[in-house]
Amino acid sequence: MEIHNQFSLKNYNTFGIEAKAKQFVAVHSVEELQSILQKYAHEKKFVLGGGSNMLLTKDIDALVIHIDLKGKKIIKETDDWVWVECQAGENWHEFVLWTLSKNFGGLENMSLIPGNVGTTPVQNIGAYGTEIKDTMVSCDAMTIDSQAMKTFSNADCHFGYRESVFKQEAKDHYIITSVVFQLTKRHHKINTAYGDIQSELSKQGIENPTIQDVSNAVIAIRQSKLPDPKELGNSGSFFKNPILLKTDFEKIHQQFPEMKYFDVSPTEVKVPAGWLIEQAGFKGKRFGDAGIHKNQALVLVNYGNATGQEILNVSKDIQETIYNTFGIRIEAEVNVI
Ligand code: EPU
């Protein structure tokens, strides 16, 4: 394991922001991770997965540990189900494609989400009507202080909308090393309820979709709306969709009757932040090298040499305008470092 000093993180964050790590090391096994944590027990540490959900606004004055554990395997199966274990450093989309190549169902709606497998439980990634919590059985994690391994069951993760225990009590205490999913081998549960999927399948003339068809539809929708981080730096949705109490929402809705919303519980609604940002006039706007994507206003982009601070300033401007216009506060989904 080589320790690099003053290491550029530009290729390790999907926003493509230039920032330096005081020290950087990539670990390829649980044993390597254990030995680094022991050796650097008293140093400041920063754990880096796929770098797809963070905005770097400054250099990192710490030892950056890049989790590069690889491997995926079937650990158990019945006629109907299969349990698959995937190491944290595997690319999420490649893992989804691997499950589909074996005709295992459950992850197809989450095709093409950027990032690595190990960070998927942290924010309970989700798209097109499915979240990781629907198929994740458990994940293994190393305790940073003692290097003891701990298994978190699905219930232990306290999943919510883009939320988990790893953003709350467990934050900075554990490093996820592998994740287990329970997938279908037959009788797949095809989920096309999310509007865009149904219309994409109809466009393709598909009436009885397979899990591969659903994955292809999701890929087509994402490619038409969301920029590829390899071509245009971004971190997916920059903001969470705000959840409002129905009683508060009704007052706002009277003033803005065209506002879109979705029921999330008998007392709460979710408002698409992309809609709010578009209505506030930010969609497609550019401020230097920082901007708002032209096809999906929820995504902030780096046209080349934007600094993290510049992107953060644009995000604050958006938050303030949305609050002043609609009286709604929107929160960042990405981790601002
Ligand atoms: N909308 C607009 N303008 C926009 C964007 C969206 O009016 O610029 C409206 C759409 O017309 C639609 C509604 O907002 O009525 C929802 O749009 P969309 O289906 O694109 O989904 P979203 O709520 O904007 C969420 C996730 C995405 C995920 C999609 C599909 C969050 C924060 N984002 O976006 O996740 O792919 O649903 O399930 O929940 C990510 O987390 O990085 C991500 C891309």
Side-chain angles (χ1 to χ4, degrees):
M1 272 177 299
E2 197 181 340
I3 309 273
H4 304 267
N5 294 314
Q6 293 304 316
F7 187 83
S8 168
L9 296 173
K10 194 172 170 72
N11 294 329
Y12 288 83
N13 70 101
T14 59
F15 252 126
I17 303 277
E18 177 56 51
K20 293 223 157 34
K22 185 177 148 202
Q23 290 184 302
F24 176 94
V25 64
V27 296
H28 307 98
S29 65
V30 167
E31 293 72 28
E32 282 190 358
L33 179 59
Q34 194 169 25
S35 98
I36 281 288
L37 291 177
Q38 266 167 5
K39 195 163 160 199
Y40 291 85
H42 304 294
E43 313 274 324
K44 259 171 63 186
K45 291 173 278 299
F46 180 95
V47 180
L48 177 66
S52 63
N53 199 41
M54 64 175 195
L55 177 67
L56 291 167
T57 62
K58 53 181 186 295
D59 289 342
I60 300 186
D61 186 29
L63 168 67
V64 172
I65 305 176
H66 176 47
I67 308 302
D68 205 18
L69 314 182
K70 300 281 197 224
K72 39 194 183 283
K73 64 174 189 237
I74 294 167
I75 51 172
K76 182 170 127 186
E77 58 188 309
T78 62
D79 288 345
D80 291 337
W81 298 98
V82 61
W83 284 255
V84 176
E85 182 185 62
C86 186
Q87 298 298 309
E90 289 284 349
N91 172 273
W92 171 257
H93 181 57
E94 282 168 23
F95 171 60
V96 173
L97 292 183
W98 178 81
T99 63
L100 290 168
S101 73
K102 300 198 165 319
N103 197 34
F104 298 158
L107 305 180
E108 57 281 359
N109 292 47
M110 293 180 285
S111 299
L112 213 61
I113 295 183
N116 287 354
V117 171
T119 38
T120 58
V122 178
Q123 55 154 354
N124 181 24
I125 63 163
Y128 305 102
T130 310
E131 290 177 326
I132 206 83
K133 73 163 169 50
D134 304 327
T135 44
M136 197 203 92
V137 177
S138 63
C139 60
D140 280 353
M142 189 177 287
T143 315
I144 294 179
D145 285 347
S146 65
Q147 293 90 53
M149 292 302 293
K150 177 175 160 73
T151 300
F152 288 81
S153 69
N154 184 306
D156 294 337
C157 292
H158 302 163
F159 286 128
Y161 167 58
R162 297 294 192 272
E163 265 301 339
S164 77
V165 73
F166 301 106
K167 281 184 155 186
Q168 305 295 336
E169 307 91 276
K171 190 172 159 45
D172 298 332
H173 295 302
Y174 298 95
I175 297 175
I176 296 170
T177 54
S178 63
V179 188
V180 176
F181 297 92
Q182 182 180 350
L183 305 174
T184 48
K185 282 170 70 180
R186 56 182 187 183
H187 312 308
H188 300 309
K189 295 186 200 78
I190 301 287
N191 176 3
T192 58
Y194 203 93
D196 282 353
I197 298 195
Q198 200 53 65
S199 50
E200 181 61 36
L201 289 166
S202 313
K203 206 164 83 188
Q204 296 178 12
I206 297 170
E207 268 180 33
N208 294 307
T210 62
I211 51 175
Q212 283 79 10
D213 292 331
V214 173
S215 168
N216 290 339
V218 167
I219 291 172
I221 299 164
R222 291 189 76 98
Q223 284 176 338
S224 72
K225 278 195 178 180
L226 298 166
D228 179 350
K230 288 195 198 90
E231 284 155 26
L232 189 61
N234 76 87
S235 210
S237 302
F238 192 91
F239 300 102
K240 289 195 221 182
N241 289 327
I243 294 174
L244 308 182
L245 283 174
K246 272 192 183 164
T247 44
D248 294 337
F249 173 73
E250 270 149 23
K251 286 179 212 140
I252 302 173
H253 200 213
Q254 273 174 3
Q255 216 185 329
F256 301 97
E258 68 290 8
M259 187 177 282
K260 299 200 175 184
Y261 66 98
F262 307 93
D263 282 335
V264 287
S265 77
T267 53
E268 294 164 314
V269 296
K270 197 189 262 184
V271 176
W275 186 89
L276 298 171
I277 299 168
E278 179 170 349
Q279 297 300 309
F282 282 102
K283 194 170 183 171
K285 278 228 173 127
R286 183 171 171 167
F287 305 88
D289 262 2
I292 297 96
H293 191 53
K294 62 180 192 326
N295 298 335
Q296 164 55 291
L298 204 45
V299 177
L300 302 189
V301 295
N302 172 10
Y303 283 100
N305 293 311
T307 62
Q309 197 56 53
E310 282 165 340
I311 290 173
L312 185 64
N313 290 344
V314 170
S315 80
K316 285 187 174 157
D317 193 11
I318 292 173
Q319 282 170 317
E320 225 174 273
T321 310
I322 299 289
Y323 184 66
N324 293 337
T325 313
F326 302 104
I328 296 177
R329 291 194 195 279
I330 57 169
E331 262 178 55
E333 185 199 355
V334 304
N335 294 315
V336 177
I337 311 293

